[in-house]
Amino acid sequence: MASSLRLVAGTAHPDLARAVGALLDGEGAHAAVERFPDGELRPAVDVGPGDDVYVLQPTGPPVHDHLVELLLLLDACRRAGAGRLTAVVPYVAYARQDRRTARGEGIGLRVVVDGLVAAGAQRLVVVDPHAPGFEAASSVPVVSLTALGALAGAVVDLARPGVVVAPDLGAVKLAERLAAPERLPVAVVRKTRVSGSRVTADELVGEVAGRRAVIVDDMIATGATIEAAVALLGRHGAAPHPVVAATHGLFVGPALARLSSLDLGRLVVTDTLPPAGPAGALEVCSVAPLLADALGRLHRDEPLGDLDSFG
Ligand code: R5P
């Protein structure tokens, strides 16, 4: 076990950093991030030689500011002599660009992960990454935590008969895992993405008539995926007021307004990202206990048990 646990927080999500820090026995480390008039960032950390350092920074909007700040914080910690350096990135930007979908594209996720490793990260901690292949993009170990436990707790009061719905093929694994403990059936939407903010829900596989749906996804960005799934479920006779649960609530642009027009029963996300707007109908369950538990165990070199997505 490296010496003291030090949690270094970037500026992306101070509330989450405070909540995780309060639950950890280790010391927080001060990080000052100066911004120059031209937009450059200059972080400085008070990490000591040999410290077991965890740099916490989700990379939600503004994505590039938060990403570059994370890279610079990692580099600062490495140069300060951190004994072990872990990037804790609850939400990883570019995770959806995990493969090429057309000729001429790059693989954004690979560039981001390589950047984190080049800046000094010896290990990554992420929460419900978009692609199951996330780990394969990394040359350093990835600890992939899941917030499904927190989300499940928030949706267990679902009126039966229920059905858990994956709003696209990528969410099938999440849906199966959410459904399993309650032995709920799973339905899957076949989705086509038309543009960044438009999708079509083309087909539904599974029985939803008369059932109240819990739609589960890794993230909500524009809300297009949820909107299309809700409409398709309605056409297939699902009960009104579906519940929506997602790990990462980006809610870009008018997403919250778009979702509030859907007459949802509940809309539940975690706090891997800062709140995108006023609380309203949005329910937020915290991943701070999950992160604190995981970082404590990693620091003590203990097994993660059911905290990671293999549990
Ligand atoms: C895509 O594969 C993801 O799992 C989400 O379904 C998607 O990113 C949500 O984006 P939006 O809310 O813009 O439809």
Side-chain angles (χ1 to χ4, degrees), residues 52-77:
D52 186 18
V53 180
Y54 297 82
V55 181
L56 175 61
Q57 174 94 323
T59 49
V63 168
H64 301 120
D65 274 12
H66 290 151
L67 192 53
V68 171
E69 185 185 311
L70 173 59
L71 295 170
L72 296 173
L73 282 167
L74 288 167
D75 185 61
C77 292

Side-chain angles (χ1 to χ4, degrees), residues 96 130 168 191 193 196 199 217-225:
R96 287 181 287 183
H130 173 70
D168 59 25
K191 164 183 117 177
R193 182 163 287 285
V199 306
D217 208 348
D218 61 317
M219 70 170 87
I220 300 174
T222 65
T225 298

Side-chain angles (χ1 to χ4, degrees), residues 2-303:
S3 53
S4 24
L5 187 163
R6 306 298 301 277
L7 181 68
V8 171
T11 61
H13 199 346
D15 289 347
L16 180 62
R18 255 190 302 276
V20 173
L23 291 166
L24 280 171
D25 288 338
E27 292 170 55
H30 183 66
V33 181
E34 185 182 357
R35 180 180 283 274
F36 283 89
D38 64 358
E40 283 185 7
L41 300 169
R42 182 166 66 175
V45 294
D46 70 351
V47 162
D51 285 348
D52 186 18
V53 180
Y54 297 82
V55 181
L56 175 61
Q57 174 94 323
T59 49
V63 168
H64 301 120
D65 274 12
H66 290 151
L67 192 53
V68 171
E69 185 185 311
L70 173 59
L71 295 170
L72 296 173
L73 282 167
L74 288 167
D75 185 61
C77 292
R78 176 178 55 172
R79 291 176 196 280
R84 188 163 59 175
L85 186 50
T86 303
V88 184
V89 196
Y91 168 75
V92 185
Y94 286 91
R96 287 181 287 183
Q97 294 187 38
D98 59 326
R99 63 192 185 287
R100 298 196 307 151
T101 56
R103 193 175 295 121
E105 291 181 348
I107 301 180
L109 175 61
R110 183 61 198 256
V111 174
V112 167
V113 171
D114 281 354
L116 296 176
V117 174
Q122 297 162 336
R123 179 168 61 183
L124 309 180
V125 175
V126 300
V127 181
D128 289 332
H130 173 70
F134 185 98
E135 196 170 357
S138 172
S139 59
V140 298
V142 176
V143 176
S144 183
L145 305 174
T146 180
L148 271 187
L151 289 173
V155 297
V156 281
D157 63 345
L158 172 76
R160 287 175 178 278
V163 57
V164 179
V165 177
D168 59 25
L169 296 179
V172 171
K173 203 83 204 139
L174 280 178
E176 286 174 348
R177 296 191 67 200
L178 191 64
E182 301 291 320
R183 296 173 188 268
L184 289 166
V186 171
V188 181
V189 174
R190 190 169 63 76
K191 164 183 117 177
T192 305
R193 182 163 287 285
V194 182
S195 71
S197 58
R198 278 195 55 224
V199 306
T200 57
D202 308 315
E203 192 184 342
L204 182 72
V205 180
E207 188 49 57
V208 301
R211 293 177 176 272
R212 189 156 181 231
V214 176
I215 306 171
V216 63
D217 208 348
D218 61 317
M219 70 170 87
I220 300 174
T222 65
T225 298
I226 299 299
E227 185 181 51
V230 167
L232 186 67
L233 288 168
R235 292 200 292 277
H236 282 76
H241 315 303
V243 170
V244 173
T247 303
H248 311 293
L250 279 106
F251 300 117
V252 295
L256 276 173
R258 191 175 201 175
L259 295 175
S260 68
S261 68
L262 299 180
D263 211 8
L264 301 176
R266 297 174 71 180
L267 174 55
V268 187
V269 295
T270 78
D271 59 354
T272 56
L273 291 160
L282 183 66
E283 296 172 49
V284 179
C285 50
S286 183
V287 292
L290 171 72
L291 289 172
D293 194 357
L295 300 196
R297 292 192 204 197
L298 290 171
H299 175 62
R300 298 185 299 271
D301 295 321
E302 292 172 4

